[in-house]
């Protein structure tokens, strides 16, 4: 929506019919219902394709990246954000209790090396790769150690009881600010909770 408001021509695709309906009716976005791999885009081509917390959810990430390569205009890029990072401190310390596993919603898990291998096999070079994510890393790291502070738990609790868990939200915000220096250091070492990368097709 930010890109559209800035003047870009934007198109989205989403599995959920209800999510599509919300995007179209409430947000006035051009969103199709379906799977990127099988959807017929006709002659449409794109300068930029983005995945934000998505690639770990799809059955076949390789097929998605190959489809993106076909859909890009010359000089186009793919931006992948929010991939849970198996190299992260959270996974190293918490293992099966790590919040990034999120089974069965997360169908795939990635390390920096495995996502490099996937990108190369799909026909891309990596323009940039990092584990810096100031918005998502701190709450994910905290939730691995204190599951009751996961933001999804807040939503579940409020839906079930009708009560806004303000105290727990306040604790989460305080902890997030407290661990930002640690998160910055982990990102420099590529031990941050999420992987972000920009890919350029190799032709």
């Amino acid at each position: 929506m930010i890109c559209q408001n800035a003047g870009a021509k934007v198109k989205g695709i989403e599995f959920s019919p209800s999510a599509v309906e919300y995007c179209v009716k409430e947000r006035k976005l051009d969103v199709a219902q379906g799977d990127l791999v099988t959807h017929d885009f006709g002659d449409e081509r794109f300068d930029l394709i983005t995945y934000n917390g998505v690639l770990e959810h799809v059955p076949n990430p390789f097929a998605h990246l190959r489809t993106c390569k076909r859909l890009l205009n010359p000089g186009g890029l793919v931006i992948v954000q929010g991939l849970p990072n198996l190299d992260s401190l959270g996974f190293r310390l918490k293992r099966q209790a790590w919040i990034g596993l999120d089974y069965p919603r997360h169908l795939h898990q990635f390390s920096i090396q495995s996502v490099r291998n996937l990108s190369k096999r799909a026909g891309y070079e990596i323009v940039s790769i990092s584990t810096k994510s100031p918005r998502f890393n701190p709450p994910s790291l905290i939730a691995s150690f204190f599951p009751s502070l996961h933001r999804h738990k807040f939503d579940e609790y409020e839906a079930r009881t009708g009560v806004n868990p303000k105290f727990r939200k306040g604790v989460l915000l305080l902890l997030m600010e407290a661990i930002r220096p640690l998160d910055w250091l982990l990102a420099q070492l590529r031990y941050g909770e999420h992987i972000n990368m920009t890919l350029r097709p190799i032709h």
Side-chain angles (χ1 to χ4, degrees):
M1 189 169 181
I2 293 173
C3 294
Q4 181 168 284
N5 291 341
K9 183 180 178 182
V10 177
K11 187 177 185 69
I13 187 162
E14 163 63 44
F15 284 114
S16 166
S18 60
V20 172
E21 183 178 12
Y22 173 80
C23 289
V24 172
K25 290 186 176 180
E26 302 297 327
R27 297 291 185 170
K28 311 304 180 188
L29 297 171
D30 180 6
V31 179
Q33 196 274 320
D35 180 353
L36 178 133
V37 174
T38 58
H39 184 76
D40 182 8
F41 286 93
D43 294 329
E44 284 189 289
R45 295 296 179 267
F46 305 93
D47 296 318
L48 181 67
I49 298 175
T50 64
Y51 286 80
N52 192 345
V54 172
L55 204 59
E56 67 273 23
H57 293 276
V58 301
N60 192 336
F62 175 77
H64 270 254
L65 292 182
R66 292 295 294 178
T67 302
C68 288
K69 187 177 180 182
R70 177 175 55 80
L71 291 172
L72 285 173
N73 284 320
L77 298 171
V78 175
I79 294 179
V80 179
Q81 296 181 306
L83 283 179
N85 179 19
L86 287 177
D87 294 324
S88 69
L89 179 68
F91 179 68
R92 289 168 184 266
L93 294 180
K94 298 302 291 184
R95 294 294 175 176
Q96 297 303 314
W98 182 52
I99 204 72
L101 293 179
D102 202 7
Y103 180 82
R105 296 193 327 120
H106 290 180
L107 303 179
H108 301 276
Q109 296 292 336
F110 299 93
S111 66
I112 289 178
Q113 188 57 54
S114 71
V115 83
R116 283 185 183 277
N117 294 342
L118 173 67
S119 302
K120 182 178 180 180
R121 191 162 60 91
Y124 292 87
E125 63 176 346
I126 295 177
V127 177
S128 66
I129 188 166
S130 77
T131 64
K132 182 181 178 182
S133 182
R135 179 181 177 190
F136 293 112
N137 281 356
S140 295
L141 185 58
I142 291 166
S144 291
F145 290 88
F146 305 101
S148 65
L149 295 180
H150 194 297
R151 57 187 181 276
H152 292 171
K153 296 289 186 183
F154 299 161
D155 295 338
E156 292 170 6
Y157 178 82
E158 192 165 0
R160 188 175 70 253
T161 66
V163 177
N164 186 341
K166 294 179 181 178
F167 177 76
R168 280 193 289 163
K169 288 180 178 179
V171 171
L172 174 60
L173 288 173
L174 288 173
L175 287 175
M176 283 172 57
E177 293 307 313
I179 71 166
R180 287 198 187 280
L182 173 62
D183 175 56
W184 178 87
L185 176 61
L186 293 174
Q188 307 312 304
L189 300 171
R190 295 195 171 175
Y191 293 159
E193 294 295 290
H194 296 90
I195 300 169
N196 308 299
M197 59 183 181
T198 301
L199 306 176
R200 179 187 293 125
I202 300 171
H203 294 288

